Amino acid sequence: MAVYTEVPDDDLAAFVAEYDIGRVLSCKGIAEGVENSNYLLQTENGNFILTLYERRVDESDLPYFLGLMAHLADKGLPCPTPTLGRDGRALRRLCGRPAAIVTFLPGVWHRRVGSDDTGQLGTALADMHVKGMDFPLQRPNSLSVESWRPLFAQSRERAHEVLPDLAEELEAELDHLEAAWPTCARLQLPTGNIHADLFPDNVFFLGERLSGLIDFYFACTDFLCYDLGVCLNAWCFEPDTSFNITKARLMFAGYRGVRELARDEMEVMPLMARGSAMRFLLTRLYDWLHRPEGAMVTPKDPLEYVRKLRFHQRVGSAAAYGLD
């Protein structure tokens, strides 16, 4: 979450008047995250999240994102629900941007991830995968292996500003990933609707219990085990980037308590971890080198994912993640 587009009071009032949620009482920008403009909106009927979609979000993808959230919420997954206007539509425009209002999900994210948190995360992720199986829409992963080299090309000439010889290191890793990734298709790994961005700040807790998942704007149809690779990177490393195998074991145990993993899914986990590390390294690298002027956003350090990628490059099998 972040704020790129400021919304004038009169425009906001006119926009909210399209809904049956009462008058605006307050609207405060949310500074966390990097993709869209987000506001905590308080009206006479309660709290909501207002999102203006920017940057990497393709407007044609929004019916998928909003529809998936509505589907999962209807199935009982705790996640935001798109709010419909009087005309029955969830999506409209504000300040020249596509925009929507979703319900406010109570809870806070844990800035210090505990081992019990990762077990609950695994359970919630598997629950989302199962509940999303019968969602009728699909969306290819626009940030999968085919996109990584073109994305890298946008930062290659300045990569040395982040780390000497980083461009050469990433070129070699892309060669490996592009050669290895077709194996996943040949194995016919289970696919479905995945979150693809389930970092700790997208998972809410009330006290010590997981209360919901948010921010589905990278969701897509891809290998289910790729989502575990994303979470392995996001949840199972300590602040000094050392790997915590206990957290990984608990995450996988929580997941497998709801949905069992196929043997092929376990065997490709090192590749999924390397691929997801590359994806976030490249988007962080781009954001670090192309900071928008005046935006209320703090880009995330790409070096964190350089270190994680190097760890996965040394992994020989899924057993290194506590998965067997």
Side-chain angles (χ1 to χ4, degrees):
M1 296 181 178
V3 174
Y4 297 95
T5 301
E6 296 288 342
V7 180
D9 292 344
D10 290 347
D11 291 352
L12 177 64
F15 183 83
V16 171
E18 298 291 326
Y19 299 82
D20 284 320
I21 59 176
R23 291 184 301 109
V24 175
L25 299 180
S26 68
C27 189
K28 181 180 179 181
I30 300 172
E32 291 172 350
V34 296
E35 293 302 325
N36 300 310
S37 293
N38 291 274
Y39 293 87
L40 175 58
L41 174 67
Q42 185 181 18
T43 77
E44 293 171 320
N45 288 15
N47 292 328
F48 300 86
I49 299 295
L50 166 65
T51 299
L52 284 71
Y53 300 101
E54 321 237 14
R55 305 192 68 186
R56 297 190 185 99
V57 177
D58 186 333
E59 189 169 353
S60 65
D61 289 331
L62 292 173
Y64 170 87
F65 298 141
L66 296 171
L68 179 61
M69 283 190 280
H71 176 88
L72 293 171
D74 187 60
K75 290 272 188 172
L77 187 82
C79 68
T81 304
T83 301
L84 302 181
R86 294 192 183 91
D87 58 3
R89 294 188 296 115
L91 184 63
R92 56 197 71 241
R93 299 190 76 80
L94 177 60
C95 298
R97 305 284 194 273
I101 295 174
V102 301
T103 55
F104 177 80
L105 197 67
V108 297
W109 65 277
H110 284 176
R111 284 164 171 78
R112 186 172 183 85
V113 173
S115 295
D116 186 56
D117 296 347
T118 63
Q120 294 184 66
L121 165 75
T123 299
L125 181 65
D127 189 37
M128 185 207 128
H129 287 170
V130 171
K131 285 180 165 66
M133 285 293 186
D134 58 349
F135 180 59
L137 301 182
Q138 293 191 346
R139 175 185 176 265
N141 186 352
S142 60
L143 286 170
S144 188
V145 62
E146 300 85 1
S147 74
W148 296 338
R149 196 174 292 273
L151 180 58
F152 172 56
Q154 298 178 62
S155 301
R156 191 190 193 289
E157 296 306 313
R158 296 180 57 198
H160 67 277
E161 298 176 24
V162 174
L163 187 70
D165 301 321
L166 179 59
E168 292 75 14
E169 182 175 349
L170 295 183
E171 288 274 16
E173 180 64 12
L174 285 169
D175 289 343
H176 169 79
L177 291 171
E178 289 168 349
W181 213 261
T183 303
C184 305
R186 290 198 297 272
L187 291 173
Q188 296 185 318
L189 299 175
T191 63
N193 294 294
I194 68 171
H195 188 283
D197 192 38
L198 205 53
F199 279 64
D201 58 352
N202 288 331
V203 179
F204 282 0
F205 291 81
L206 287 172
E208 299 304 313
R209 303 307 302 169
L210 190 149
S211 61
L213 312 180
I214 68 167
D215 203 354
F216 284 77
Y217 300 116
F218 285 107
C220 55
T221 310
D222 205 340
F223 303 125
L224 298 179
C225 58
Y226 177 78
D227 235 3
L228 280 164
V230 172
C231 292
L232 193 71
N233 281 307
W235 291 76
C236 300
F237 286 83
E238 295 303 309
D240 64 358
T241 330
S242 61
F243 182 69
N244 188 319
I245 194 171
T246 299
K247 290 180 178 179
R249 283 196 180 104
L250 290 169
M251 182 187 76
F252 286 123
Y255 188 94
R256 296 172 75 181
V258 176
R259 177 187 169 267
E260 186 54 87
L261 291 169
R263 173 56 56 183
D264 286 343
E265 291 181 285
M266 291 188 278
E267 289 180 355
V268 301
M269 196 56 62
L271 181 61
M272 295 293 102
R274 284 176 76 161
S276 64
M278 175 60 82
R279 172 263 187 263
F280 287 101
L281 194 167
L282 291 175
T283 50
R284 286 187 176 198
L285 180 64
Y286 179 89
D287 291 341
W288 191 267
L289 296 173
H290 303 84
R291 308 185 197 193
E293 289 292 333
M296 193 172 79
V297 59
T298 302
K300 296 179 180 178
D301 185 1
L303 289 179
E304 174 188 345
Y305 269 78
V306 172
R307 293 188 287 270
K308 291 178 180 180
L309 177 60
R310 289 172 177 174
F311 171 84
H312 298 307
Q313 289 170 337
R314 299 191 298 270
V315 166
S317 73
Y321 305 126
L323 184 60
D324 49 35

Coordinates of all heavy atoms in Angstrom, one line a residue, residues 243 245 249 266 270 315-324:
F243 N 18.3 -18.2 7.5 CA 17.2 -19.0 7.3 C 16.8 -19.7 8.6 O 17.6 -20.3 9.3 CB 17.4 -20.0 6.2 CG 16.2 -20.9 5.9 CD1 15.1 -20.3 5.2 CD2 16.2 -22.2 6.2 CE1 14.0 -21.1 4.9 CE2 15.1 -23.0 5.9 CZ 14.0 -22.4 5.2
I245 N 14.8 -22.7 9.8 CA 14.2 -24.0 9.3 C 12.9 -24.4 10.2 O 12.0 -25.0 9.7 CB 15.2 -25.1 9.3 CG1 14.6 -26.3 8.4 CG2 15.6 -25.5 10.7 CD1 15.7 -27.3 8.1
R249 N 9.4 -25.4 8.6 CA 8.7 -26.7 8.9 C 7.3 -26.5 9.3 O 6.4 -27.2 8.9 CB 9.5 -27.4 10.0 CG 10.7 -28.1 9.6 CD 11.2 -29.2 10.6 NE 12.4 -29.8 10.2 CZ 13.6 -29.6 10.7 NH1 13.7 -28.6 11.6 NH2 14.6 -30.3 10.3
M266 N 7.1 -31.0 -3.9 CA 8.1 -30.8 -2.9 C 9.5 -30.8 -3.5 O 10.4 -30.0 -3.1 CB 8.0 -32.0 -1.9 CG 6.8 -31.9 -1.0 SD 6.8 -33.2 0.3 CE 6.1 -34.6 -0.5
P270 N 13.0 -25.9 -4.1 CA 14.1 -25.0 -4.3 C 14.0 -24.1 -5.5 O 14.4 -23.0 -5.5 CB 15.3 -26.0 -4.4 CG 14.9 -27.2 -3.7 CD 13.4 -27.3 -4.0
V315 N 21.1 -24.5 -2.0 CA 20.2 -25.6 -1.5 C 20.2 -26.8 -2.5 O 20.0 -26.5 -3.7 CB 18.7 -25.1 -1.3 CG1 17.8 -26.2 -1.1 CG2 18.7 -24.1 -0.1
G316 N 20.4 -28.0 -2.0 CA 20.4 -29.1 -2.9 C 19.1 -29.8 -3.0 O 18.8 -30.5 -4.0
S317 N 18.2 -29.7 -2.0 CA 16.9 -30.4 -2.0 C 16.0 -29.8 -1.0 O 16.4 -28.9 -0.2 CB 17.1 -31.9 -1.6 OG 17.3 -32.0 -0.2
A318 N 14.7 -30.2 -1.1 CA 13.7 -29.6 -0.2 C 13.9 -29.9 1.2 O 13.3 -29.2 2.1 CB 12.3 -30.1 -0.7
A319 N 14.7 -30.9 1.5 CA 15.0 -31.2 2.9 C 15.7 -30.1 3.6 O 15.5 -29.9 4.8 CB 15.9 -32.5 2.9
A320 N 16.4 -29.2 2.9 CA 17.0 -28.0 3.5 C 16.0 -27.1 4.0 O 16.3 -26.2 4.9 CB 17.9 -27.3 2.5
Y321 N 14.7 -27.2 3.6 CA 13.7 -26.4 4.1 C 12.8 -27.1 5.2 O 11.8 -26.6 5.6 CB 12.7 -25.9 2.9 CG 13.4 -25.2 1.8 CD1 13.3 -25.7 0.5 CD2 14.3 -24.1 2.0 CE1 13.9 -25.0 -0.6 CE2 14.9 -23.5 1.0 CZ 14.7 -23.9 -0.3 OH 15.4 -23.3 -1.4
G322 N 13.3 -28.2 5.5 CA 12.5 -29.0 6.5 C 11.3 -29.7 5.9 O 10.4 -30.2 6.6
L323 N 11.3 -29.9 4.6 CA 10.2 -30.5 3.8 C 10.6 -31.9 3.4 O 11.5 -32.1 2.6 CB 9.8 -29.6 2.6 CG 8.6 -30.0 1.8 CD1 7.4 -30.1 2.7 CD2 8.4 -29.1 0.7
D324 N 9.9 -32.9 3.9 CA 10.2 -34.3 3.5 C 9.0 -35.2 3.6 O 7.9 -34.7 4.0 CB 11.4 -34.9 4.3 CG 11.2 -34.7 5.8 OD1 10.1 -34.7 6.3 OD2 12.2 -34.5 6.5

